[in-house]
């Protein structure tokens, strides 16, 4: 891909909680802070970049080491994932370049190491490998600078190159580009603190036509947690050829009454062929129903809405629902028995892991 085929432009400063970005029309666009992650250097943490939702960490401290994506493919200007992560489809033998900006908003200078490492999609989440563990994709990635010294308040551009071998097998691969800082233990002993923050890479290898991203919403279920919180759950299946990072919202209606929209809990990533639940916790108590529910989900350009009539149970048990997806007449039956275990999903796309040792710190969440 040639360099002028990219959306390029200055980044607008922002904190981690920036949630949306809309590129300007035309070949040149300015990207906002969707792909920003800020690493608070006072914590022993591993944090990944690229969120379509606010981070659930300390927003009162903006000082930290940050990284964010600067370039996105022009043809993906309508795809929010491609503005947050490096998402591309390449033929074997192709070389591309992407810029990331690394920033230091602390009051101290920091030496930042830059390197790629392996990642995978497992248990409905994007998982990081420990340390600098390689995989196919990470060995194809290099950065023009492996280490930078950032003064307080400084920012620096780094170019990441992805060089796909001519003999690369088709399929989608995952990796991370990390910016890492380390702090030596104090005199007298202690633990060496290692912190890193990064940008996800989703790369599909194949021919001229990239695989499409698509999914089905197979079931809708009304649930109630032991503490009384109401939840609407959707069982989603990835029927396309690309990974999905699912976001969306749920709206309930009953005649003239409307409840919501309620945001789905982010953090669910499905590899091609995978299936799993996506839940939307209600942030307020509503009558048990009946309600007509619209459950909207999207990942990049793949978007679907499922509808059903549901009623919340008095306690624990889920109810059966028949859902219609996208108004196309596709009916599915959702039969869920009493006592179902609620899924353990990540609370946000930003993952914060505290550790006492480097090996434990670098372990995937």
């Amino acid at each position: 891909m040639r360099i002028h085929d990219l959306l390029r432009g200055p980044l607008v400063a922002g904190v981690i909680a920036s949630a949306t970005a809309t590129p300007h029309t035309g070949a040149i666009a300015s990207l906002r802070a969707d792909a920003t992650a800020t690493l608070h250097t006072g914590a022993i943490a591993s944090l990944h970049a690229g969120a379509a939702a606010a981070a659930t960490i300390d927003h009162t401290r903006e000082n930290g080491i940050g990284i964010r994506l600067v370039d996105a493919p022009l043809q993906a200007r309508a795809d929010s994932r491609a503005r947050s992560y490096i998402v591309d489809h390449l033929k074997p033998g192709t070389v591309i370049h992407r810029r990331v900006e690394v920033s230091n908003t602390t009051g101290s200078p920091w030496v930042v190491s830059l390197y790629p490492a392996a990642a995978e999609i497992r248990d409905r989440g994007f998982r990081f490998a420990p340390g600098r563990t390689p995989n196919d994709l990470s060995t194809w990635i290099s950065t023009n600078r492996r280490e930078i010294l950032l003064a307080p308040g400084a920012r620096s551009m780094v170019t990441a190159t992805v060089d796909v071998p001519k003999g690369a097998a088709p399929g989608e691969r995952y990796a991370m580009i990390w910016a890492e800082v380390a702090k030596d233990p104090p005199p007298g002993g202690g633990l060496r603190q290692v912190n890193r923050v990064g940008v996800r890479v989703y790369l599909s290898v194949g021919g001229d036509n990239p695989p499409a991203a698509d999914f089905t919403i197979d079931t809708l279920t009304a649930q109630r947690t032991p503490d009384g919180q109401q939840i609407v759950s959707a069982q989603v299946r990835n029927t396309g050829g690309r990974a999905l990072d699912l976001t969306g919202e749920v709206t309930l209606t009953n005649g003239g009454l409307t409840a919501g929209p309620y945001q789905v809990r982010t953090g669910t990533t499905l590899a091609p062929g995978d299936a799993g639940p996506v839940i939307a916790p209600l942030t307020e108590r509503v009558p048990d129903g009946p309600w007509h529910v619209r459950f909207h989900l999207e990942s990049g350009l793949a978007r679907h809405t499922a509808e059903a009539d549901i009623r919340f149970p008095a306690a624990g048990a889920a109810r059966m629902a028949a859902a219609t997806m996208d108004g196309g007449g596709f009916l599915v039956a959702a039969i869920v028995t009493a006592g179902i275990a609620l899924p353990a999903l990540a609370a946000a796309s930003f993952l914060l892991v505290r550790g006492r040792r480097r090996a434990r710190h670098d372990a995937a969440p």
Side-chain angles (χ1 to χ4, degrees):
M1 183 175 296
R2 294 173 296 179
I3 196 67
H4 63 263
D5 288 333
L6 303 177
L7 291 174
R8 306 181 64 180
L11 287 160
V12 179
V15 297
I16 333 175
S18 297
T20 60
T22 302
H24 305 296
T25 56
I28 305 298
S30 177
L31 302 182
R32 292 186 59 194
D34 328 65
T36 301
T38 301
L39 179 66
H40 301 306
T41 54
I44 304 175
S46 176
L47 179 69
H48 84 269
T56 58
I57 63 177
D58 184 0
H59 295 292
T60 63
R61 298 180 56 200
E62 297 183 11
N63 291 341
I65 302 298
I67 187 170
R68 52 187 173 184
L69 184 65
V70 178
D71 299 322
L74 178 61
Q75 66 269 26
R77 58 186 177 271
D79 185 345
S80 60
R81 291 177 72 245
R83 300 195 304 271
S84 298
Y85 314 134
I86 297 177
V87 181
D88 220 320
H89 173 80
L90 301 176
K91 295 181 183 179
T94 303
V95 178
I96 63 168
H97 307 281
R98 295 289 185 268
R99 294 180 304 160
V100 295
E101 182 190 67
V102 183
S103 60
N104 176 13
T105 56
T106 74
S108 303
W110 284 92
V111 176
V112 182
S113 299
L114 296 145
Y115 61 90
E120 63 177 334
I121 296 176
R122 176 171 43 83
D123 299 329
R124 303 186 303 277
F126 195 92
R127 311 300 183 187
F128 319 134
R132 303 194 181 205
T133 304
N135 64 4
D136 280 354
L137 178 53
S138 72
T139 63
W140 304 344
I141 301 172
S142 61
T143 56
N144 67 328
R145 304 170 72 183
R146 296 184 179 181
E147 189 174 274
I148 54 177
L149 174 60
L150 284 179
R155 301 174 184 270
S156 182
M157 288 290 183
V158 176
T159 299
T161 298
V162 182
D163 187 349
V164 183
K166 292 183 179 180
E172 189 170 56
R173 297 166 172 85
Y174 316 104
M176 290 289 295
I177 298 175
W178 291 108
E180 180 181 282
V181 295
K183 185 176 181 180
D184 291 329
L191 297 176
R192 186 171 186 262
Q193 298 180 8
V194 178
N195 308 303
R196 60 182 186 171
V197 60
V199 173
R200 298 185 188 188
V201 183
Y202 298 75
L203 182 67
S204 169
V205 176
D208 290 327
N209 297 320
D214 204 2
F215 60 91
T216 60
I217 303 173
D218 296 331
T219 64
L220 293 177
T221 306
Q223 295 175 306
R224 191 183 299 271
T225 66
D227 63 0
Q229 184 177 33
Q230 294 156 306
I231 288 175
V232 180
S233 175
Q235 182 71 10
V236 181
R237 182 173 301 277
N238 186 342
T239 59
R242 302 302 304 268
L244 302 172
D245 293 296
L246 293 161
T247 61
E249 63 182 25
V250 172
T251 303
L252 307 176
T253 57
N254 182 350
L257 299 178
T258 300
Y262 304 103
Q263 299 301 307
V264 305
R265 187 171 291 175
T266 57
T268 299
T269 300
L270 296 179
D274 280 355
V278 179
I279 68 172
L282 275 58
T283 55
E284 59 190 355
R285 294 290 180 90
V286 301
D288 290 345
W291 294 97
H292 184 76
V293 59
R294 287 177 53 87
F295 203 120
H296 176 78
L297 286 174
E298 57 185 74
S299 176
L301 301 180
R303 302 171 183 178
H304 289 297
T305 300
E307 300 185 41
D309 293 323
I310 65 170
R311 179 185 289 272
F312 290 100
R319 294 295 181 92
M320 182 176 68
T324 304
M325 195 174 81
D326 289 336
F330 178 73
L331 298 180
V332 294
I335 305 177
V336 186
T337 59
I340 186 170
L342 295 179
L345 301 179
S349 290
F350 285 82
L351 305 180
L352 180 64
V353 178
R354 295 185 181 274
R356 294 180 179 276
R357 301 181 183 276
R358 175 169 182 146
R360 182 179 177 184
H361 158 78
D362 284 337

